[in-house]
Amino acid sequence: MTNGSDIKNWLEEIGLGDVAETLIAQDVDLDVAPDLTDEDLKELGLSLGHRKRFLKAAAALGEVADQGGTAKRPAKARDPNAGAERRQLTVMFCDLVGSTELSTKLDVEDLREVISEYQDACRAAIESYDGYIARYMGDGILIYFGYPVAHEDDGLRAVHTGLEIVSAVKALKLRPGLDLEVRIGVATGVVVVGDIIGEGASEESAVLGETPNLAARLQGLAAPNTMVISPETRRLVEDRFRLTDLGKHELKGIAALMQAWGVAGVLSGGDRFVGHRPTVLVGRDEERALVEARLKRAQSGDGQVAVLSGEAGIGKSSLVTLIKDTAEAGGARVLHFSCSSYHTQHPLYPFADEFARLATFAEGDAPAARLDKIESLVESAGRLPDQDAAILADFLSVPVGERYPPHGLSPQALKTRLLNLLTDLTLAAPRDQAVLFVFDDAHWADPSSVELMTLVVQAAPRRRAMVVITCRPEFDPPWRGQEHLTVVNLQRLSADQARAVVSATAGKPLPENIVSTIVEKADGVPLFLEELTRNVIESGLVQDRDGAYALDGPLPPPAIPTTLHDSLMARLDRLPTAKRLPRSGPPSGASSTTSLSPR
């Protein structure tokens, strides 16, 4: 017998409550849902968008059943028996502008369709960055980043989502003369995620704290089709987005004046470490010397590849920054491509933006002007424009009109041609110039990008090229064993080296008990050492007559910096038994664990 309640609740949770009766009438329940095909859903009368959403959610149900569970509800990462827990969340509040006016202009059925299309557009952007829709409130949407599963870049995910929501909603053309607009507020802070309340479609986890309220208030400050973020969110994203200072504001329910920031767009360039400069490179002399020796060989015509492997925060980016400085000082052409944890399913994602930059695209360029630039770029690599310009233009989403005839290639032949073209473009340089090619976070690379990197690695020995690839230990480079490839494993720092990092970061002497506490908590991870030191200094240390830092009271427990919360919670979410440790920590947000880096 079909359990109509379960299937109806599930459909409502994924935004398809309006098709519940149709499926129940055909005896579809949660056990059957994963077996339905697109053709089955089309026969039942579901739209394309509803079919896509249903199939995606049903696939998740199937995975739960395959693992021995029941298909009553989609699985959540959080243990429902764990009780309340402290988490840092980035919370987004998105609201449709002028919905009251819309309700007076449109028939109720038309209004329902408009709201549904608006919610679908928002949902697509939210899901692409793994956000969690906590609640629909009329035309408002409350979204969590960092719950039920934390990512190390939840702040970035939230701001990227907001920009995509604005673009997607602006692109909706549902009625002549109807242009939808949204306002978005984003805030980051520590909250208490309580027990699950409600059942079925109304089920949610209680989130207690100021952060959701702050996100809603910031949304009220936003102009149509803009996003406003809190100071804590700004700390997480300031090196990746163009931000505007909106001044301090008095917000209802918020005690102090609140600084607000607007998001104007993404910073250009493929280097995700824009603005990051290492305070000091401690304990990496041997590794730096090894990579720079390989760079000298590459500059003399003996192409080299170096793979820098190490856990998050271990110093890969700092080492890469210094290698780039050395290469640029020697006149090398530097290219930097970065993979993304939320674009692992997008073929060749790391390369699209960088090649648009290499082609010198400017905002407002007409398609013909961009095609001219593409032809120049293709020629610079010694390839024939009439054969390859159309392929590169298609990759960069530039319409070719009637300038080029159809290439007539099969999909596989087209992919091979594109990968070979991109390889030549990345390694191309004048005869007297070397190339430094940096490929960051290979552990997040999509399969096509790995294919392209394989071609680059294979071609490097024949070029004046140095290829530097960074990755985490879980990534096994498929290029091991080649004579021109060197793998450099970055280890944690010793206690003496850790103390040197703390000293360099502080710039002035710190009390010995504070240094010892930071070294113990950071466990040899350079990023943790730097962030903890900065956090301690900003927490209210005073300077004595000699200019050294001093305590003006008892030594407080070291609070985890905002910039590290997401990374640590992401690790803890992968270690369910360890998550119980910080839950009972003090109200200030200090951790009760002995180390910031659970292993």
Side-chain angles (χ1 to χ4, degrees):
M1 179 178 177
T2 301
N3 190 329
S5 176
D6 281 347
I7 186 71
K8 184 176 181 180
N9 289 340
W10 176 70
L11 289 168
E12 288 175 345
E13 288 175 359
I14 64 174
L16 296 180
D18 53 339
V19 302
E21 296 305 323
T22 300
L23 271 65
I24 291 172
Q26 295 297 318
D27 296 324
V28 174
D29 58 18
L30 289 180
D31 291 332
V32 174
D35 298 325
L36 295 183
T37 67
D38 187 69
E39 287 299 317
D40 293 333
L41 299 175
K42 186 182 296 185
E43 185 175 338
L44 290 172
L46 273 67
S47 67
L48 176 62
H50 283 180
R51 297 199 305 272
K52 295 292 186 183
R53 187 171 302 111
F54 181 97
L55 292 171
K56 182 177 180 180
L61 278 181
E63 291 175 5
V64 174
D66 290 343
Q67 294 167 5
T70 60
K72 287 187 176 181
R73 297 187 54 78
K76 293 183 180 179
R78 182 172 174 270
D79 179 359
N81 298 316
E85 61 176 307
R86 296 174 64 88
R87 297 181 77 101
Q88 176 170 290
L89 292 190
T90 295
V91 179
M92 173 184 291
F93 192 86
C94 175
D95 195 39
L96 186 64
V97 176
S99 57
T100 302
E101 184 181 357
L102 278 179
S103 65
T104 64
K105 290 182 176 181
L106 298 178
D107 176 78
V108 63
E109 288 296 327
D110 292 337
L111 178 62
R112 177 180 176 277
E113 182 179 342
V114 167
I115 297 296
S116 177
E117 292 288 343
Y118 150 73
Q119 291 177 342
D120 286 349
C122 293
R123 185 187 297 110
I126 294 163
E127 291 178 350
S128 68
Y129 290 97
D130 214 11
Y132 176 74
I133 298 177
R135 193 186 314 161
Y136 289 103
M137 295 169 284
D139 51 34
I141 309 176
L142 179 66
I143 308 108
Y144 300 152
F145 294 85
Y147 177 85
V149 177
H151 308 84
E152 60 195 64
D153 55 355
D154 279 311
L156 293 172
R157 288 169 179 264
V159 177
H160 275 299
T161 298
L163 292 177
E164 289 202 10
I165 286 176
V166 170
S167 296
V169 172
K170 286 172 64 176
L172 291 176
K173 302 299 180 185
L174 306 177
R175 299 283 190 282
L178 177 61
D179 296 317
L180 298 184
E181 297 176 315
V182 291
R183 293 189 180 95
I184 297 173
V186 179
T188 300
V190 176
V191 302
V192 174
V193 182
D195 296 326
I196 292 176
I197 59 176
E199 295 183 356
S202 64
E203 176 184 299
E204 63 175 285
S205 295
V207 171
L208 304 177
E210 184 180 73
T211 307
N213 183 46
L214 177 56
R217 298 305 181 200
L218 291 173
Q219 176 272 142
L221 294 179
N225 286 336
T226 68
M227 172 170 39
V228 176
I229 65 175
S230 72
E232 291 300 304
T233 306
R234 180 219 176 199
R235 292 186 64 187
L236 298 176
V237 307
E238 59 186 334
D239 290 340
R240 300 291 295 275
F241 297 92
R242 298 195 310 275
L243 304 178
T244 56
D245 186 343
L246 301 180
K248 293 185 176 181
H249 298 262
E250 183 176 344
L251 302 178
K252 183 179 180 181
I254 308 297
L257 289 176
M258 180 59 59
Q259 176 70 49
W261 300 85
V263 182
V266 181
L267 285 173
S268 60
D271 184 354
R272 76 180 181 95
F273 300 111
V274 168
H276 176 86
R277 305 296 304 178
T279 302
V280 62
L281 197 65
V282 172
R284 303 295 185 225
D285 294 341
E286 185 177 333
E287 292 90 342
R288 181 180 180 182
L290 176 61
V291 177
E292 289 189 343
R294 298 293 187 270
L295 176 61
K296 288 182 179 179
R297 290 177 59 175
Q299 289 171 325
S300 66
D302 182 14
Q304 298 290 308
V305 178
V307 176
L308 307 183
S309 178
E311 62 185 297
I314 205 67
K316 300 184 295 295
S317 63
S318 296
L319 185 54
V320 165
T321 298
L322 296 179
I323 297 301
K324 287 172 64 176
D325 289 346
T326 301
E328 288 175 339
R333 175 182 183 233
V334 177
L335 304 178
H336 199 138
F337 303 87
S338 294
C339 301
S340 164
S341 60
Y342 32 84
H343 288 107
T344 56
Q345 303 302 316
H346 296 182
L348 298 173
Y349 168 81
F351 299 93
D353 286 344
E354 183 69 3
F355 277 107
R357 187 186 68 81
L358 292 176
T360 67
F361 287 172
E363 189 174 349
D365 276 351
R370 295 197 170 191
L371 290 176
D372 292 340
K373 293 178 178 180
I374 287 173
E375 291 179 359
S376 297
L377 181 61
V378 170
E379 286 179 330
S380 71
R383 307 199 43 134
L384 300 177
D386 59 341
Q387 296 180 7
D388 293 312
I391 294 174
L392 184 58
D394 182 61
F395 174 63
L396 298 178
S397 301
V398 178
V400 300
E402 298 181 357
R403 183 180 293 202
Y404 309 110
H407 51 68
L409 298 173
S410 67
Q412 184 56 48
L414 178 60
K415 178 181 178 181
T416 300
R417 182 77 163 270
L418 174 63
L419 294 181
N420 286 325
L421 171 61
L422 296 182
T423 300
D424 286 346
L425 290 174
T426 57
L427 299 179
R431 296 181 64 86
D432 59 345
Q433 187 181 32
V435 174
L436 173 63
F437 179 107
V438 178
F439 188 69
D440 257 322
D441 293 329
H443 48 279
W444 287 326
D446 62 274
S448 294
S449 292
V450 173
E451 284 187 59
L452 175 54
M453 286 307 303
T454 299
L455 295 176
V456 170
V457 169
Q458 293 172 345
R462 303 185 298 276
R463 311 291 183 98
R464 292 165 56 88
M466 176 72 191
V467 179
V468 176
I469 301 166
T470 73
C471 63
R472 294 186 184 170
E474 61 265 26
F475 179 74
D476 185 20
W479 318 290
R480 291 182 184 272
Q482 303 198 37
E483 293 183 1
H484 62 293
L485 186 144
T486 303
V487 178
V488 181
N489 294 308
L490 299 181
Q491 304 298 325
R492 298 188 181 203
L493 302 179
S494 68
D496 287 343
Q497 292 168 338
R499 287 176 174 273
V501 173
V502 173
S503 177
T505 304
K508 298 174 183 177
L510 284 169
E512 175 57 29
N513 53 352
I514 289 183
V515 175
S516 297
T517 300
I518 292 173
V519 170
E520 176 190 359
K521 296 294 182 182
D523 203 13
V525 179
L527 176 63
F528 293 177
L529 288 161
E530 292 185 17
E531 291 299 317
L532 269 177
T533 302
R534 294 190 184 101
N535 201 57
V536 167
I537 292 172
E538 293 170 1
S539 67
L541 291 180
V542 298
Q543 296 186 41
D544 61 22
R545 294 179 181 179
D546 298 325
Y549 288 113
L551 290 167
D552 59 355
L555 177 65
I560 299 175
T562 299
T563 50
L564 298 183
H565 260 285
D566 288 345
S567 177
L568 293 172
M569 187 54 73
R571 294 181 180 209
L572 291 171
D573 275 349
R574 295 194 293 269
L575 300 170
T577 56
K579 286 175 64 180
R580 296 184 178 89
L581 293 176
R583 279 202 186 111
S584 57
S588 64
S591 172
S592 60
T593 58
T594 58
S595 168
L596 283 178
S597 47
R599 285 181 281 183

